[in-house]
Amino acid sequence: MRRKSSCLVILLLSLFLALPAMTAQSKPVDAEGHQWWQHAVFQEIYPRSYMDSNNDGIGDLNGIASKMEYLKWLGVDAIWIAPAFPSPQVDFGYDVSDYEAIDPMYGTMDDFTKMEKRGKANNIGIVFDFVVNHTSDKHKWFLESSSSTTNPYHEWYIWKDPKGANKPPNNWTSTFGGSAWQWNPKLNQFYYHYFYPQQPDLNWRNPKVKAAMFDATRFWYKRGVVGFRLDAVDTLYEDPNLTDNPTLPGKNEYGDQEQERKYNDKLPEVLQALAGLRTVADEYSAVLIGETWTDNISELKAYYGAHHEGLQMPMDLMFTQLKPLSAAVFRKHVEAVDGSGEWPVYVMSNHDIKRAYSRFADGKHDDDIAKVMAGMYLTLRGTPIMYYGEEIGMKNNDPTRKEDVKDPIGQLGWPEQKGRDGERTPMQWNDTPNAGFTTGIPWLPVPMTYQTHNVEAEKKDPNSILNFYKNLLALRHTNPALLDGDYVAVNQNDSNVYSYLRRYKGQAVLVVLNMSGIPQNVSFDLAKQGFSNGEAKTLLSTINGGETQKLSGISLPPYTVYIGEVTK
Ligand code: GLC
Ligand code: CA
């Protein structure tokens, strides 16, 4: 008897223990087994620049909280907030001095909780940004680490004796300019930093580092964070022998000899670390997004893990480098990403990348082009991550004088490298001074286009970029073909108009994008794809057409979008 019941207890207990892991994988939101993040639309928010609640010129968590209703109205399901942890702000928060607190400049732990609750009330999840590669040099781990070579934390970072008289251990350069090695005269050793000297690289080969970092993610999952965007994952590991990188011809924008980062970038061990973070994420049904810089599809594919033990959402950052704006360029890339068999994650810009609005603007059709780009990447199969302000057509506002530059890489690389201030300017809420972001002095200046491109004005204009985004996101959240359908390219030889179907169980949505500055006339024969009716029911478009559209001839003015449902 006793034995039996104890067996039962053990059985129940083990079932109970297995439960969190099971729920992580077993809450599909549709018949395809998709997880919540596959139906979600994400948006990156740069907290310094979103909304300033106390008018010190810097955005904050209370500011973000006050905009949750706006985000819901827009159709955003989750926000990735760039680091708001305590930081000396050398790299504007990407130099973290405490992973388990909020920087007073952004608010308090209570403010975080309030923001998280207000997000939840509006069905908006909070994704935090986890800087995995390095800490700030003011983090207590590094202060300990640099106090003596025998301190237990010494092995938490990458320290190395000089090679000869004060010579760095090898030829590795920092991606932010200069040697990747910083001399510490007290210890007579160098430490390694892939980014700024104030951002020493953690030693991920040390199991204690791993455990501490895993725990930092648990800290936030327990407080309601639904996932992380993992910063700079490519550079987590270095060759233990510190082999010199092969040099390449030419100098970069900082005047350093170009090199192939063979021994300190994308080492195979990276995936193991990500899989470890994923195991923890699965305990909380959380999602991991990666800042994954890849050169080709197989590198991108690798980040998901051969058995999907890696990141659920490695960003396709190759997508941000595509140019020029052309049907052929985007068609070719999407075919390759979609064809990889994984769940694509499309991104057009972020706090490190010039805004898409400015990248593609031709000076004549700027707003129309912004709608074409949205019409494309918000209708593709996969999860999109928007960048704040993209939905109102915010442009890059690059500094014109070196003395105005805030981003250190802009100061270092001027004028070739102007830094990233241009894509980080305050969100444009209305046409009052500083675009309603602050009544103080904003940390970065607002471009003059805020007078026309702001939330309040665009809400009132049915043809605004903002209303196009809002309508498109509403459609995307409700249309089964856009949620779950396959991607099927059509009219593949057209070099001006990019068209495809999203097809799901006998239903299909046709997306037609004139990516040229010349009027186009297109026709579709979709009988082969199973849709022979010859007509589409218009769902959303920027052309003047009726409720239905004959597929035998669609006239498209320059840079226009047509989205319609086709039937059998
Ligand atoms: C990532 C961040 C970037 C930061 C760098 C170093 O690339 O997106 O803003 O400067 O990592 O943390
Ligand atoms: Ca503030």
Side-chain angles (χ1 to χ4, degrees):
M1 251 327 246
R2 263 189 77 190
R3 260 183 93 193
K4 246 195 192 161
S5 70
S6 72
C7 274
L8 192 69
V9 168
I10 289 170
L11 186 78
L12 283 174
L13 200 69
S14 52
L15 264 176
F16 179 73
L17 289 174
L19 213 61
M22 273 165 60
T23 47
Q25 298 304 324
S26 62
K27 274 194 294 182
V29 290
D30 63 18
E32 304 310 300
H34 288 153
Q35 303 288 309
W36 67 268
W37 46 268
Q38 292 179 288
H39 278 198
V41 170
F42 289 68
Q43 185 169 45
E44 177 190 359
I45 285 181
Y46 199 66
R48 282 186 90 80
S49 301
Y50 199 60
M51 183 64 203
D52 179 13
S53 73
N54 63 349
N55 296 314
D56 61 358
I58 293 168
D60 41 58
L61 299 192
N62 286 333
I64 298 174
S66 72
K67 297 299 181 184
M68 289 295 180
E69 288 74 21
Y70 164 72
L71 290 165
K72 183 186 179 172
W73 171 87
L74 176 60
V76 169
D77 306 289
I79 52 174
W80 142 34
I81 303 177
F85 311 108
S87 161
Q89 303 287 327
V90 172
D91 194 16
F92 297 109
Y94 284 94
D95 46 325
V96 177
S97 54
D98 182 354
Y99 288 105
E100 300 181 358
I102 297 293
D103 194 299
M105 146 189 325
Y106 294 118
T108 62
M109 230 21 203
D110 266 2
D111 296 334
F112 162 76
T113 307
K114 277 189 229 143
M115 175 184 73
E116 192 273 333
K117 286 218 170 81
R118 190 142 166 198
K120 201 174 265 155
N122 287 286
N123 283 326
I124 292 168
I126 308 291
V127 171
F128 261 176
D129 201 320
F130 193 36
V131 185
V132 281
N133 177 72
H134 48 268
T135 67
S136 159
D137 62 345
K138 300 292 182 295
H139 194 291
K140 62 176 189 264
W141 300 339
F142 190 75
L143 296 178
E144 293 279 342
S145 183
S146 51
S147 67
S148 91
T149 52
T150 52
N151 185 291
Y153 284 92
H154 194 61
E155 303 304 319
W156 283 45
Y157 294 83
I158 314 220
W159 291 94
K160 201 73 195 167
D161 292 338
K163 197 173 160 185
N166 289 2
K167 263 188 75 197
N170 67 19
N171 74 348
W172 297 352
T173 51
S174 159
T175 192
F176 285 168
S179 169
W181 295 97
Q182 179 75 18
W183 177 241
N184 180 312
K186 192 176 130 205
L187 302 190
N188 275 323
Q189 280 190 328
F190 283 95
Y191 68 83
Y192 172 68
H193 58 92
Y194 187 87
F195 296 94
Y196 295 126
Q198 296 88 340
Q199 294 170 305
D201 275 48
L202 283 161
N203 176 14
W204 272 81
R205 295 188 191 276
N206 182 342
K208 290 191 178 133
V209 167
K210 265 192 178 172
M213 293 299 272
F214 292 175
D215 277 350
T217 66
R218 286 195 182 92
F219 177 89
W220 290 108
Y221 293 142
K222 285 183 192 147
R223 286 162 179 78
V225 160
V226 300
F228 278 101
R229 175 263 189 187
L230 304 178
D231 182 68
V233 295
D234 305 330
T235 55
L236 279 188
Y237 283 86
E238 302 72 32
D239 170 35
N241 300 322
L242 304 182
T243 314
D244 273 343
N245 277 331
T247 55
L248 297 171
K251 298 243 160 120
N252 66 16
E253 54 211 357
Y254 308 106
D256 301 324
Q257 181 73 42
E258 293 279 9
Q259 57 181 241
E260 182 198 342
R261 300 197 192 280
K262 188 171 169 181
Y263 294 105
N264 57 346
D265 197 11
K266 295 181 196 153
L267 265 54
E269 293 91 326
V270 170
L271 195 67
Q272 290 162 23
L274 298 181
L277 286 161
R278 173 64 185 280
T279 305
V280 182
D282 280 348
E283 292 167 18
Y284 299 88
S285 304
V287 69
L288 294 180
I289 303 171
E291 190 205 8
T292 38
W293 286 100
T294 59
D295 293 327
N296 52 55
I297 303 294
S298 63
E299 277 185 12
L300 180 60
K301 216 174 137 83
Y303 274 115
Y304 294 86
H307 308 286
H308 290 126
E309 75 280 23
L311 304 175
Q312 297 107 315
M313 290 179 53
M315 290 189 248
D316 172 16
L317 293 172
M318 291 180 281
F319 198 73
T320 66
Q321 309 295 304
L322 297 180
K323 56 181 183 204
L325 175 54
S326 108
V329 166
F330 281 89
R331 181 188 293 123
K332 183 167 172 230
H333 182 77
V334 170
E335 295 246 0
V337 173
D338 193 84
S340 77
E342 301 296 347
W343 185 259
V345 180
Y346 293 110
V347 183
M348 286 213 300
S349 58
N350 65 31
H351 66 283
D352 298 323
I353 300 167
K354 186 171 177 171
R355 286 183 177 274
Y357 186 89
S358 298
R359 291 207 312 272
F360 297 116
D362 69 349
K364 252 171 87 186
H365 307 94
D366 301 358
D367 288 7
D368 294 330
I369 294 171
K371 291 179 197 167
V372 169
M373 300 313 286
M376 171 182 59
Y377 93 112
L378 299 176
T379 60
L380 289 172
R381 187 185 72 91
T383 300
I385 306 179
M386 298 166 15
Y387 186 45
Y388 81 95
E390 180 189 305
E391 75 273 23
I392 52 171
M394 268 173 68
K395 67 166 205 168
N396 243 70
N397 192 33
D398 292 321
T400 50
R401 306 180 317 170
K402 188 177 176 186
E403 55 268 38
D404 297 333
V405 176
K406 296 276 189 326
D407 184 7
I409 60 170
Q411 292 160 358
L412 205 64
W414 188 270
E416 224 187 301
Q417 166 64 264
K418 294 193 167 58
R420 299 163 290 182
D421 296 352
E423 51 264 31
R424 298 174 174 180
T425 59
M427 177 69 180
Q428 297 160 197
W429 296 105
N430 56 42
D431 65 2
T432 64
N434 303 319
F437 163 73
T438 185
T439 57
I441 301 165
W443 79 286
L444 283 176
V446 174
M448 284 316 283
T449 50
Y450 83 94
Q451 292 172 344
T452 49
H453 290 70
N454 66 65
V455 171
E456 200 176 295
E458 291 193 41
K459 264 193 175 179
K460 292 183 199 143
D461 172 5
N463 293 319
S464 65
I465 301 177
L466 180 60
N467 273 311
F468 184 77
Y469 266 80
K470 180 199 154 31
N471 294 333
L472 184 52
L473 294 182
L475 184 63
R476 198 196 142 90
H477 279 109
T478 48
N479 184 291
L482 290 179
L483 284 171
D484 290 326
D486 297 337
Y487 164 86
V488 185
V490 294
N491 288 18
Q492 297 196 57
N493 294 323
D494 193 322
S495 55
N496 297 305
V497 182
Y498 177 27
S499 311
Y500 48 88
L501 290 177
R502 294 290 313 284
R503 189 175 60 182
Y504 185 64
K505 292 190 178 161
Q507 301 180 34
V509 167
L510 172 68
V511 179
V512 185
L513 307 154
N514 182 3
M515 292 191 155
S516 79
I518 299 165
Q520 304 287 332
N521 206 291
V522 288
S523 65
F524 297 93
D525 177 2
L526 302 175
K528 258 208 329 244
Q529 286 82 15
F531 302 92
S532 45
N533 170 318
E535 237 176 47
K537 184 176 143 245
T538 304
L539 296 171
L540 184 66
S541 102
T542 62
I543 64 174
N544 290 323
E547 279 176 24
T548 57
Q549 180 71 55
K550 289 247 169 296
L551 297 183
S552 53
I554 307 184
S555 294
L556 300 158
Y559 300 111
T560 42
V561 182
Y562 178 81
I563 304 172
E565 188 163 340
V566 293
T567 49
K568 297 200 169 195

